[in-house]
């Protein structure tokens, strides 16, 4: 039985005050659901991780980073390592978010190194995959997702895979207000689970959590969560509004 998982990606938003206020609002409103029946995490900007972790210390809401570097330490100016993230209380780390792939230019090879370094450093990576609109229109969704998963998970053994959550986020649905229909999302989630089955066997495929992300809102969360292979939601814009994020958590209970 896969426990539902709702994660909020705050991206490059909030400041120290509004970030803590948002965390406190989410903690106060999700006492019942979070930790018991739904895993809940928020991913604030690096510089507010410690303040948000402190604000959530007495709640069961976990904190994740939006990215990390693939090396454990050294001369990598501006980068943040897995041990630094652990040190400030992170449990999760997004790896390969579409904005990192398509705005910053991260490759599958680098993302694979980040996923591996996250696990080696004691973090739980959320590996994001998803196709561009042009790739969907060219019927290449399955090919793109296959490449991103085969390369993103390369050389990861069974034990390490159990630490991974996958997020399917079609790029055309992120921040656009256009959500994949439940059928479109379920079709890709089913494809991903079967692919993981071919790579790692049926048991790990049945256990791995696959989140959907892309313009999730209170109004579409329950319908998406009703799909057999959608185990949770990765939420961007709506996670910045406490009441909306709480309603989405509620839809996953
Ligand atoms: C995201 O940032 O992962 C995301 C899905 O954003 P939004 O919900 O705003 O589309």
């Amino acid at each position: 039985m896969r426990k539902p998982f709702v994660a909020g990606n705050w991206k490059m938003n909030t400041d120290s005050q509004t970030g803590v206020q948002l965390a406190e609002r989410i903690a106060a409103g999700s006492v019942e659901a979070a930790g018991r029946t739904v895993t809940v995490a928020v991913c604030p900007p690096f510089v507010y991780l410690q303040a948000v972790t402190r604000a959530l210390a007495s709640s069961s809401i976990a904190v994740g980073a939006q990215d990390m570097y693939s090396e454990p330490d050294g001369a990598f100016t501006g980068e943040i390592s897995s041990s630094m993230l652990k040190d400030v209380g992170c449990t999760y780390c997004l790896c390969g978010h579409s904005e990192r792939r398509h705005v910053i230019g991260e490759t599958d090879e680098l993302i694979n190194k980040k996923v591996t370094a996250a696990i080696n450093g004691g973090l739980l990576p959320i590996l994001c995959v998803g196709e561009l609109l042009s790739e969907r229109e060219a019927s290449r969704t399955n090919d793109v997702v296959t490449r991103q998963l085969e390369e993103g998970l390369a050389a990861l053994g069974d034990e390490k895979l159990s630490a991974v959550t996958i997020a399917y986020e079609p790029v055309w649905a992120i921040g656009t207000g256009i959500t994949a229909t439940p059928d479109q999302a379920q079709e890709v989630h089913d494809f991903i689970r079967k692919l993981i089955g071919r790579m790692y066997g049926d048991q790990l495929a049945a256990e791995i959590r696959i989140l959907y992300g892309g313009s999730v809102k209170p109004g579409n969360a329950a319908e998406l969560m009703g799909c057999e292979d959608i185990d949770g939601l990765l939420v961007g814009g709506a996670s910045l509004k406490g009441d909306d994020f709480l309603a989405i958590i509620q839809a996953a209970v």
Side-chain angles (χ1 to χ4, degrees):
M1 180 71 178
R2 300 182 294 269
K3 186 174 176 180
F5 185 179
V6 177
N9 173 15
W10 295 1
K11 310 196 190 196
M12 198 172 70
N13 293 298
T14 70
D15 58 26
S16 55
Q17 194 186 0
T18 56
V20 167
Q21 281 167 353
L22 179 57
E24 286 170 348
R25 172 77 192 100
I26 296 163
S30 58
V31 179
E32 282 300 307
R36 213 163 34 85
T37 52
V38 184
T39 305
V40 179
V42 294
C43 303
F46 285 133
V47 288
Y48 306 133
L49 282 170
Q50 199 155 23
V52 168
T53 304
R54 284 193 186 128
L56 294 174
S58 57
S59 80
S60 55
I61 298 173
V63 176
Q66 298 173 17
D67 184 37
M68 55 167 275
Y69 197 53
S70 52
E71 296 298 325
D73 53 39
F76 303 103
T77 302
E79 295 294 344
I80 306 278
S81 71
S82 58
S83 62
M84 292 171 184
L85 296 175
K86 280 290 281 184
D87 190 33
V88 293
C90 285
T91 304
Y92 295 94
C93 184
L94 302 180
C95 293
H97 187 277
S98 79
E99 286 143 22
R100 306 283 325 163
R101 292 177 186 269
H102 299 294
V103 181
I104 313 290
E106 290 192 5
T107 61
D108 287 307
E109 190 187 354
L110 177 61
I111 293 162
N112 173 247
K113 286 186 184 154
K114 292 186 177 191
V115 169
T116 308
I119 299 171
N120 290 343
L123 295 172
L124 303 173
I126 301 173
L127 172 61
C128 305
V129 299
E131 81 286 3
L132 298 164
L133 181 59
S134 55
E135 293 167 334
R136 171 161 285 261
E137 287 173 346
S139 304
R140 291 189 48 231
T141 299
N142 291 352
D143 294 344
V144 170
V145 165
T146 300
R147 189 205 72 229
Q148 290 172 334
L149 285 169
E150 285 180 350
E151 296 187 18
L153 298 172
L156 225 67
D158 290 11
E159 202 187 317
K160 288 198 167 131
L161 185 80
S162 348
V164 176
T165 298
I166 293 169
Y168 168 59
E169 301 202 296
V171 182
W172 47 272
I174 298 180
T176 57
I178 303 167
T179 316
T181 64
D183 283 352
Q184 283 174 319
Q186 167 58 26
E187 193 182 353
V188 183
H189 281 235
D190 172 64
F191 176 81
I192 291 173
R193 200 174 303 284
K194 288 186 175 137
L195 176 65
I196 296 293
R198 290 196 293 280
M199 292 167 73
Y200 290 95
D202 291 345
Q203 192 182 329
L204 285 177
E207 287 169 7
I208 196 163
R209 290 189 287 191
I210 309 174
L211 318 184
Y212 168 79
S215 297
V216 174
K217 304 271 181 278
N220 57 28
E223 204 182 10
L224 287 160
M225 283 304 297
C227 298
E228 191 181 337
D229 289 292
I230 296 184
D231 307 313
L233 302 164
L234 178 53
V235 186
S239 72
L240 293 168
K241 296 178 193 141
D243 290 347
D244 283 6
F245 192 58
L246 288 168
I248 292 168
I249 295 169
Q250 200 54 43
V253 173

